[in-house]
Amino acid sequence: MLWFFERQRSRLYYEVRRQTDGDNYELVITHPDGHQDVEHFADSLELLDRMERLQHRLHAEGWQPPRQGVSSGRATG
């Protein structure tokens, strides 16, 4: 699964996936400059806790999920 966040004109996203060579999980954070941080988890509850802390930190830093269906700001009709 992917989660996207925006701040001003920057975009950051993170992905949760199974490791390709096992049954563990990976949390992959892709930063606006393209570099990635990969964290490994054997326990799904630890992963969920980390995701919750990450989302809290991102919101505190001003990152927000992309707004869907936002117009250019001009009134229509």
Side-chain angles (χ1 to χ4, degrees):
M1 295 194 86
L2 289 171
W3 286 264
F4 292 89
F5 290 86
E6 295 177 337
R7 181 175 67 184
Q8 297 171 354
R9 293 185 178 179
S10 296
R11 180 170 269 190
L12 174 145
Y13 66 92
Y14 71 89
E15 175 183 9
V16 173
R17 63 187 184 202
R18 289 275 192 170
Q19 280 184 288
T20 56
D21 59 351
D23 292 330
N24 295 336
Y25 302 94
E26 294 179 332
L27 173 67
V28 182
I29 303 167
T30 303
H31 298 271
D33 65 1
H35 86 271
Q36 294 183 326
D37 295 321
V38 180
E39 301 175 23
H40 303 274
F41 298 87
D43 182 279
S44 62
L45 293 178
E46 288 181 29
L47 171 62
L48 291 172
D49 180 61
R50 173 64 175 118
M51 289 171 52
E52 185 176 323
R53 289 184 288 118
L54 175 60
Q55 286 188 10
H56 186 309
R57 190 192 91 214
L58 291 173
H59 286 289
E61 293 176 357
W63 292 95
Q64 297 294 322
R67 296 187 307 193
Q68 298 294 325
V70 176
S71 70
S72 63
R74 289 186 264 167
T76 59

